[in-house]
């Protein structure tokens, strides 16, 4: 099992309603993007923390591997510059009642952020990156900050990382 962080400011509503993650395959200039390529690493059972407008708003569990898929029609004019073909993963979302603002917890989160490909800046603001992998220790801290909701979704799989 792996842990992921997804930034969904533009498409959270559509993706949660449809039960999926979707990213373009490449940047608008045709270059590969490591934060789109990570979609290919997601496996069923992986846990994804959804970051939306400064908060962790949902946790989901991957239900599939990724596959090539057209850009969802429900995106409408969102992401007009994105490719029309991308990567899709089915996930089961749970919206959180206790939505944590990472910016308020950087003293504990900051030391666990990776030096490269971090989902957050040192200030706690999100980078404009789609999907990044999280260390189990960081996932454990996030689950601890969220509390019982996260622990009931993730179970004992992350709790060991809290200690």
């Amino acid at each position: 099992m792996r842990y992921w962080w997804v930034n969904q400011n533009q498409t959270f509503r559509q993706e949660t309603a449809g039960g999926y993650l979707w990213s373009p395959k490449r940047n608008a200039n045709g270059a590969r993007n490591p934060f789109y390529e990570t979609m290919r690493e997601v496996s069923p059972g992986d846990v994804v923390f959804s970051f939306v407008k400064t908060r962790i708003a949902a946790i989901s569990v991957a239900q599939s591997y990724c596959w090539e898929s057209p850009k969802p029609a429900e995106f409408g004019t969102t992401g007009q510059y994105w490719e029309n073909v991308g990567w899709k993963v089915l996930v089961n979302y749970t919206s959180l009642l206790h939505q944590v603002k990472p910016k308020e917890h950087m003293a504990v989160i900051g030391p666990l952020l990776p030096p490269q490909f971090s989902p957050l800046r040192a200030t706690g603001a999100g980078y404009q990156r789609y999907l990044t992998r999280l260390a189990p220790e960081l996932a454990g801290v996030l689950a601890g900050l969220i509390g019982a909701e996260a622990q009931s979704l993730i179970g004992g799989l992350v709790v060991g990382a809290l200690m």
Side-chain angles (χ1 to χ4, degrees):
M1 170 189 296
R2 287 174 283 195
Y3 303 96
W4 303 95
W5 176 286
V6 64
N7 289 317
Q8 294 175 294
N9 284 331
Q10 296 183 65
T11 57
F12 180 72
R13 184 178 50 80
Q14 296 91 333
E15 288 180 289
T16 54
Y20 62 83
L21 299 173
W22 187 91
S23 78
K25 287 177 115 179
R26 296 183 181 263
N27 288 337
N29 66 3
R32 286 193 170 177
N33 182 319
F35 308 106
Y36 298 155
E37 289 291 314
T38 52
M39 290 281 284
R40 299 171 64 192
E41 299 176 33
V42 176
S43 299
D46 285 359
V47 174
V48 183
F49 292 85
S50 292
F51 184 69
V52 183
K53 297 184 176 143
T54 76
R55 298 176 184 273
I56 298 173
I59 294 176
S60 58
V61 177
Q63 304 297 304
S64 73
Y65 295 99
C66 97
W67 73 92
E68 190 174 279
S69 175
K71 182 166 62 171
E74 58 268 27
F75 283 9
T77 59
T78 300
Q80 290 178 336
Y81 53 91
W82 293 336
E83 286 189 319
N84 287 322
V85 176
W87 302 117
K88 190 172 191 176
V89 173
L90 296 179
V91 296
N92 183 17
Y93 284 95
T94 299
S95 294
L96 297 173
L97 296 174
H98 180 83
Q99 297 184 3
V100 170
K101 284 181 122 176
K103 189 174 196 169
E104 295 173 355
H105 304 279
M106 289 308 290
V108 292
I109 294 172
L112 298 173
L113 292 173
Q116 187 178 28
F117 302 135
S118 175
L120 293 172
R121 300 175 192 278
T123 62
Y127 279 108
Q128 195 168 9
R129 298 174 173 166
Y130 187 66
L131 187 70
T132 56
R133 191 166 175 181
L134 297 179
E137 296 78 15
L138 179 52
V141 166
L142 295 174
L145 291 170
I146 294 165
E149 281 182 286
Q151 303 203 1
S152 69
L153 291 169
I154 299 170
L157 301 169
V158 173
V159 173
L162 295 170
M163 300 175 185

